[in-house]
Amino acid sequence: MTEDVQKHSVHTLVFRSLKRTHDMFVSDHAKSIALDDESHKVKMDVKLKAEYGAVLHMPVLKEGKDRVSHLPGSMQGHQSYTQPDDPEYLITGTHAYPSGPGVALTADTKMHRNPSEGGVHSMALALPPSQARQDVSRTAASVGDIHRHTGGAERSHPHSTAVSLMEGGGTRNSALMRKASTMPKPQWHPPWKLFRVISGHLGWVRSIAVEPGNQWFVTGSADRTIKIWDLASGKLKLSLTGHISTVRGVAVSSRSPYLFSCGEDKQVKCWDLEYNKVIRHYHGHLSAVYDLDLHPTIDVLVTCSRDATARVWDIRTKANVHTLTGHTNTVATVRCQSAEPQVITGSHDSTIRLWDLIAGKTRATLTNHKKSVRTLVLHPRQYTFASGSADNIKQWMFPDGNFIQNLSGHNAIINTLAVNSDGVLVSGADNGTIHMWDWRTGYNFQRIHAAVQPGSLDSESGIFACLFDHSESRLITAEADKTIKVYKEDDTATEESHPINWKPEILKRKRY
């Protein structure tokens, strides 16, 4: 019994000793946490003062003051600081202005001073205009002419005055905009009329090329065939089969008796026209090939694809010389020229890229378009080119892609562009409309919407490709109603019978 009591006493003593040790540990831990919290709070206070002291008591803008004054009383009570009334309130930053070479800073110039509202306004007016505003002012000012030409009422443009006020406000800037927007008198061009409709394809006609001798032309279609037609009579001469999907591009070489084609089957083919057989394949694209073009002076072929690349091929060896990467979406169109830049591509990522062919790298990227760029055309005489998109047509200057002007009014998805030496620009759209423009001024002098061939749905009205023949007397279009249409100038038209609907004062802005 005595032994049991002694054991109990020992256990009790051990338990009490352990409890005291535990209580001391808990107390020390709590004190440590409290000290850590206090240290953290001190550190945060120091950080706030050091890094945010300059903005903790910044005055709010006038609009903010007005909003605060309209708050309910209970809400106003939560404002933690009062705003100073002094408009010359000084804000001292954590870092003084750095002194420039040979410029000594005084105590006053080291201070950050809030600009007054008048100063902010004058600074905004002094800023140079943005690129977007400059593009607006350089837009080919033919919209009013177009509406007048089609019988629509002439529209006022109050927003343009607002733009001028935003840019610099005042009479001087408005006068400059009126002067810049006045379009020079466009050159007179005879209207074009439908001359022939050629049938034979069993699917959409997607591409056209005219051979250098101007005796025949080639078309590629969604029926997977390539057809060769006599240019003078419009009769079918030959059909070539070999593609297993839509033929999206065709080109005839001026340096050899070869025809090149590409399609949605990822294939690029070289046809020998003496034997009418495929003699070369160019393998490499990972998806549908949408367009191709031949370099005018060297044996090089350039193709572009839905795989977001353009590829440069040596025609003879079939070697993939360059893979031009950089676009982020389908590359829909490609054009080559002998001058720099030698390759130009347009993409569904809404950009145009000018390429250095030797290095295989981008020289410049043009980002002005907001929608997919589906077509490009190079002027035959000038060092300029045009691009077509659903937002508008834009003209550019080589070699750096400097913007010239917008041609607005063809409100549709523009699939194709063509231009001749007389300065007639043709745009063909997905809704079957064709617009004729004066290249220099951007004046839209004619609009055409030919009826679809009998038996086709009205919805099958679309222009996929168009180009002038080498005599530039005929315009050939490839269309969604499975036909090829040929247009010619109206020989009976004169400036008196078809006058230019243009007046220099049309585009003058009213003063508001």
Side-chain angles (χ1 to χ4, degrees):
M1 190 69 179
T2 306
E3 291 179 359
D4 292 341
V5 171
Q6 289 177 349
K7 287 180 180 180
H8 180 71
S9 299
V10 170
H11 289 162
T12 303
L13 291 172
V14 171
F15 174 75
R16 287 177 179 173
S17 176
L18 291 172
K19 187 173 185 305
R20 281 196 301 270
T21 303
H22 176 268
D23 291 344
M24 290 173 63
F25 175 77
V26 170
S27 176
D28 291 343
H29 183 64
K31 289 178 181 178
S32 174
I33 291 175
L35 288 173
D36 287 346
D37 288 345
E38 187 67 27
S39 174
H40 180 69
K41 184 178 179 183
V42 170
K43 286 180 180 178
M44 285 301 295
D45 290 343
V46 171
K47 183 176 181 179
L48 284 171
K49 188 172 182 180
E51 297 187 12
Y52 303 103
V55 295
L56 281 175
H57 303 290
M58 284 185 67
V60 297
L61 295 175
K62 183 179 179 181
E63 293 85 350
K65 289 182 180 179
D66 294 341
R67 283 197 297 271
V68 169
S69 65
H70 291 302
L71 290 173
S74 59
M75 295 292 289
Q76 291 184 13
H78 289 283
Q79 298 297 318
S80 59
Y81 58 89
T82 57
Q83 301 298 333
D85 295 328
D86 183 9
E88 299 297 324
Y89 184 69
L90 298 179
I91 305 168
T92 56
T94 55
H95 304 286
Y97 285 124
S99 59
V103 179
L105 295 180
T106 64
D108 186 55
T109 56
K110 287 183 180 180
M111 305 298 283
H112 296 256
R113 191 179 296 274
N114 256 3
S116 64
E117 290 184 16
V120 171
H121 186 64
S122 61
M123 182 180 292
L125 295 180
L127 290 174
S130 65
Q131 180 64 36
R133 299 296 184 203
Q134 292 176 348
D135 287 357
V136 168
S137 65
R138 283 199 299 267
T139 297
S142 59
V143 179
D145 296 346
I146 292 168
H147 290 303
R148 181 181 288 259
H149 183 68
T150 55
E154 184 178 333
R155 301 181 183 181
S156 61
H157 300 276
H159 66 275
S160 60
T161 305
V163 168
S164 67
L165 291 174
M166 288 174 62
E167 292 291 299
T171 310
R172 176 178 169 273
N173 206 31
S174 301
L176 286 174
M177 175 162 281
R178 284 199 303 276
K179 183 177 180 181
S181 298
T182 302
M183 182 174 64
K185 184 174 181 179
Q187 177 185 348
W188 182 84
H189 302 283
W192 292 69
K193 62 181 181 180
L194 184 61
F195 170 70
R196 176 178 286 134
V197 178
I198 302 171
S199 301
H201 277 296
L202 302 178
W204 290 352
V205 188
R206 299 301 305 244
S207 51
I208 315 172
V210 178
E211 64 96 12
N214 214 41
Q215 300 298 311
W216 46 268
F217 67 96
V218 188
T219 55
S221 168
D223 63 11
R224 302 172 295 178
T225 67
I226 299 168
K227 292 185 183 290
I228 298 177
W229 311 84
D230 183 73
L231 187 58
S233 64
K235 292 182 179 179
L236 180 64
K237 293 167 68 80
L238 183 68
S239 291
L240 300 174
T241 58
H243 280 282
I244 57 175
S245 189
T246 301
V247 181
R248 292 294 292 259
V250 288
V252 184
S253 174
S254 59
R255 299 166 55 83
S256 56
Y258 294 155
L259 164 68
F260 297 86
S261 63
C262 64
E264 293 180 4
D265 52 10
K266 311 178 194 176
Q267 296 184 21
V268 181
K269 297 177 183 286
C270 174
W271 305 78
D272 188 328
L273 295 177
E274 293 181 355
Y275 300 96
N276 300 327
K277 290 183 179 179
V278 178
I279 58 170
R280 294 188 186 98
H281 285 94
Y282 301 89
H283 297 288
H285 279 296
L286 306 178
S287 189
V289 186
Y290 276 12
D291 196 13
L292 53 76
D293 199 20
L294 290 163
H295 195 285
T297 56
I298 57 177
D299 289 329
V300 161
L301 169 71
V302 185
T303 57
C304 62
S305 168
R306 196 167 58 195
D307 63 12
T309 68
R311 291 178 184 264
V312 182
W313 309 91
D314 184 319
I315 290 175
R316 292 167 295 180
T317 66
K318 301 182 287 184
N320 186 182
V321 180
H322 288 303
T323 299
L324 307 179
T325 58
H327 285 295
T328 58
N329 206 330
T330 299
V331 185
T333 180
V334 61
R335 290 293 174 265
C336 298
Q337 63 176 1
S338 55
E340 291 292 341
Q342 297 182 54
V343 179
I344 308 99
T345 56
S347 170
H348 288 187
D349 65 9
S350 78
T351 67
I352 300 163
R353 285 180 180 257
L354 313 181
W355 300 88
D356 183 335
L357 181 59
I358 297 173
K361 295 182 179 179
T362 304
R363 283 174 53 111
T365 303
L366 313 180
T367 60
N368 300 44
H369 279 292
K370 302 299 183 290
K371 299 290 180 70
S372 300
V373 180
R374 296 169 181 261
T375 180
L376 298 168
V377 66
L378 279 55
H379 194 285
R381 292 183 179 175
Q382 300 178 12
Y383 198 37
T384 57
F385 72 103
S387 57
S389 175
D391 50 10
N392 51 32
I393 301 165
K394 294 181 185 290
Q395 289 178 342
W396 314 85
M397 181 75 73
F398 285 127
D400 299 318
N402 297 322
F403 177 80
I404 300 174
Q405 64 179 354
N406 286 321
L407 278 65
S408 302
H410 201 169
N411 301 317
I413 297 171
I414 296 171
N415 289 323
T416 180
L417 294 171
V419 63
N420 66 13
S421 301
D422 291 333
V424 175
L425 174 66
V426 181
S427 56
D430 221 37
N431 61 1
T433 58
I434 299 172
H435 283 204
M436 305 279 192
W437 312 80
D438 177 53
W439 178 276
R440 183 175 63 90
T441 61
Y443 172 69
N444 180 206
F445 68 89
Q446 187 180 7
R447 297 180 176 188
I448 301 170
H449 193 173
V452 297
Q453 74 165 336
S456 294
L457 300 173
D458 286 339
S459 59
E460 288 187 316
S461 179
I463 314 295
F464 290 122
C466 69
L467 84 168
F468 291 97
D469 72 344
H470 295 298
S471 70
E472 299 186 338
S473 62
R474 284 170 285 214
L475 172 69
I476 309 168
T477 63
E479 309 206 3
D481 64 354
K482 309 179 185 67
T483 67
I484 302 137
K485 294 184 173 70
V486 182
Y487 294 85
K488 282 190 173 183
E489 288 183 343
D490 187 351
D491 297 332
T492 63
T494 63
E495 285 197 60
E496 289 73 27
S497 63
H498 295 78
I500 297 174
N501 195 355
W502 172 87
K503 291 181 181 178
E505 70 273 12
I506 283 178
L507 296 164
K508 285 186 178 179
R509 271 45 167 176
K510 295 180 180 179
R511 294 186 183 182
Y512 286 84

